[in-house]
Structure formats: structure tokens, C-alpha cells
Amino acid sequence: SRTDALMFMRKITFVVLLAVALAACGGSKDKARELVESTRDDGFESRMDDLMKVFSSHYWALPDDTIRETVIEKLDMEGIRSLIVDVYADHFNNEELEVMIRANNKSLEETESILSSPEEGRALFDRVVEVQAVIDQVTEDAMKARTTAVIEALDKLNEPYVN
């Protein structure tokens, strides 16, 4: 009947609208991964240098390259990057991620001008700053959680030198 056909069309329309709305809620992981992969990670080397100072002074018998390889392996930086991808995908849609990719790896002044020129850009810039705090916390928590694995691995490698 005609009423059944109308109900069927309303259901289909509702399902399609719901799917579109859900897709618009968050960005794709592919775009978020593209952003993470294109980001300069100046902070990683700085954090690694700090860790190397601590671990090298404690595990003085081990070569620095052995310590560095162990730290990188046990910290699982790929796992941490995946966590960061998830945060970006959860907080930004594809359009916003695309703007951020374009702004990425420019000078700080150029990036700020891209993100802060139109009103939407300023709002995006503010959200980027807020989400960066989330990413910093996620990264710190992940590194803390993996520090035990680093220490256990270095202790094992250091055993022959202790006895």
C-alpha cells in the first residue's frame, strides 16, 4: 500500500541521514594518520635525549646504541602514534584534518596564519591547542605504562655486568 511505501521511504531516508551524520562526527583514521605521519616530531628526539641521559647513567656498562634500541622497541612508538591517530580522528572531521595537514610543517607563523585567519580557523586553532593537551597526556601515560618494560629489558641486558 501507499502508506507502507511512505514508511519504507522514511526509514531509508532516516538510515541514510543517520549514516551521514555518524560519518561527519569524526574524521577518518586515514586522514588522521596522514596528519600524524606528516608532523615534525621535534619533541621525540628531545624526550629520547632525556631518557638516554637517565638510562645511560644507570646502565653505564651498556653501549648507548643498545640502550637506545631497547628504549625505542619497548616504548612501542608505533603504538603511541596509533593512540595519537585515534585522538585526532575522534576530535576532528576530515575537513579540519585536511586544513591541519596543509598547515603542518610550515613555519609557526604560517601555520598560525592559516589556522587563525577566518573565524572557523580561529575556532579550529583553539581546538587544536586543547586536543594537543589530550595528546600530550595520552603520550605521557603510554610512555609511563611502558617504562617498566624498558627497565626490565635493560636490567636483563645489564645482568652480566652486575655480577
Side-chain angles (χ1 to χ4, degrees), residues 52 61-73 153-154 157-158 161:
M52 287 301 296
L62 295 176
D64 282 348
D65 61 333
T66 300
I67 295 172
R68 186 178 184 83
E69 288 169 14
T70 303
V71 169
I72 290 172
E73 175 192 335
L154 291 172
L157 290 169
N158 200 49
Y161 304 104

Side-chain angles (χ1 to χ4, degrees), residues 3-102:
T3 307
D4 290 339
L6 283 173
M7 288 299 290
F8 179 71
M9 289 304 290
R10 283 185 183 154
K11 274 186 185 177
I12 289 179
T13 303
F14 176 74
V15 169
V16 169
L17 288 173
L18 183 61
V20 169
L22 288 174
C25 282
S28 78
K29 285 198 179 189
D30 290 339
K31 278 285 175 212
R33 189 172 323 286
E34 184 180 343
L35 174 63
V36 169
E37 288 173 359
S38 70
T39 300
R40 290 184 305 258
D41 196 0
D42 303 330
F44 174 75
E45 280 307 315
S46 171
R47 285 188 299 258
M48 183 57 72
D49 290 344
D50 292 343
L51 287 172
M52 287 301 296
K53 287 176 191 167
V54 171
F55 289 130
S56 293
S57 67
H58 186 75
Y59 299 100
W60 51 268
L62 295 176
D64 282 348
D65 61 333
T66 300
I67 295 172
R68 186 178 184 83
E69 288 169 14
T70 303
V71 169
I72 290 172
E73 175 192 335
K74 296 300 178 184
L75 284 182
D76 182 23
M77 292 311 293
E78 279 309 308
I80 292 173
R81 279 189 188 92
S82 291
L83 294 172
I84 294 169
V85 166
D86 291 343
V87 171
Y88 279 127
D90 289 346
H91 287 85
F92 300 103
N93 64 37
N94 283 342
E95 263 182 37
E96 293 166 330
L97 290 167
E98 190 62 46
V99 168
M100 292 163 59
I101 290 166
R102 281 197 324 267

